[in-house]
Amino acid sequence: MSKYTFANLLNGETSGKMSLETFMDYLKKEHAEENLEFWLEAVKYREEAGKFFQCQSLWIKKVDENNHSTYQMTPLSSFSPNLPETTEISSDLKVKFENTLEKILKNYIVPGSDKEIGVPASISKKLIEEVRTKKNFNPDILKQSMDVAYENMKNNSYLSYTKAMK
């Protein structure tokens, strides 16, 4: 039997009752889905915008001698969200990226938002400034908030989920 880890679940490498979809269903029943929803939207943004920015990988993937994959979050110290774009970005794309990030901010980061995740004020303030003031759309600016959501899910939601699935 393969070992299920939270990182494997987030990377879609689990199935059945330990799948990402089942985890989301569980979180919805517990009224605790905002961290996973934020995570999934941030990952989607990273995939889209990452084609136009120099970005760090979220994961360090290791494969053992039995060909099992394990993941470790890339340390925050490896991230530099001020790296230049890899290609010229059209004004249409900049508007699209800004709108997507603004939606993420309004839904999950801005204090008092409907689905606010538990990000410390210092992190939310910096992220809001990066997007709204500096017009920085590099996906790496989401890393600190993603780390908080990841840890919240791993240490709370995922633990209760694995117990409920036994």
Side-chain angles (χ1 to χ4, degrees), residues 83-99:
L83 292 170
E85 295 88 359
T86 57
T87 59
E88 188 63 33
I89 298 175
S90 70
S91 57
D92 288 346
L93 271 178
K94 285 182 183 180
V95 168
K96 178 184 176 185
F97 294 157
E98 183 175 18
N99 289 341

Side-chain angles (χ1 to χ4, degrees), residues 101-136:
L101 284 172
E102 187 60 38
K103 178 182 168 200
I104 290 171
L105 291 179
K106 286 180 180 177
N107 287 339
Y108 306 102
I109 304 298
V110 173
S113 59
D114 289 342
K115 297 180 179 185
E116 182 180 359
I117 60 173
V119 175
S122 60
I123 294 174
S124 62
K125 183 178 179 183
K126 181 171 176 35
L127 178 55
I128 291 167
E129 179 183 340
E130 287 292 327
V131 174
R132 293 181 175 169
T133 304
K134 296 182 180 179
K135 303 295 185 192
N136 181 358

Side-chain angles (χ1 to χ4, degrees), residues 49-68:
K51 298 171 188 168
F52 302 94
F53 292 90
Q54 295 176 6
C55 301
Q56 297 293 319
S57 174
L58 281 178
W59 303 101
I60 298 170
K61 182 178 180 180
K62 296 179 181 178
V63 180
D64 67 16
E65 64 278 354
N66 297 321
N67 208 27
H68 292 116

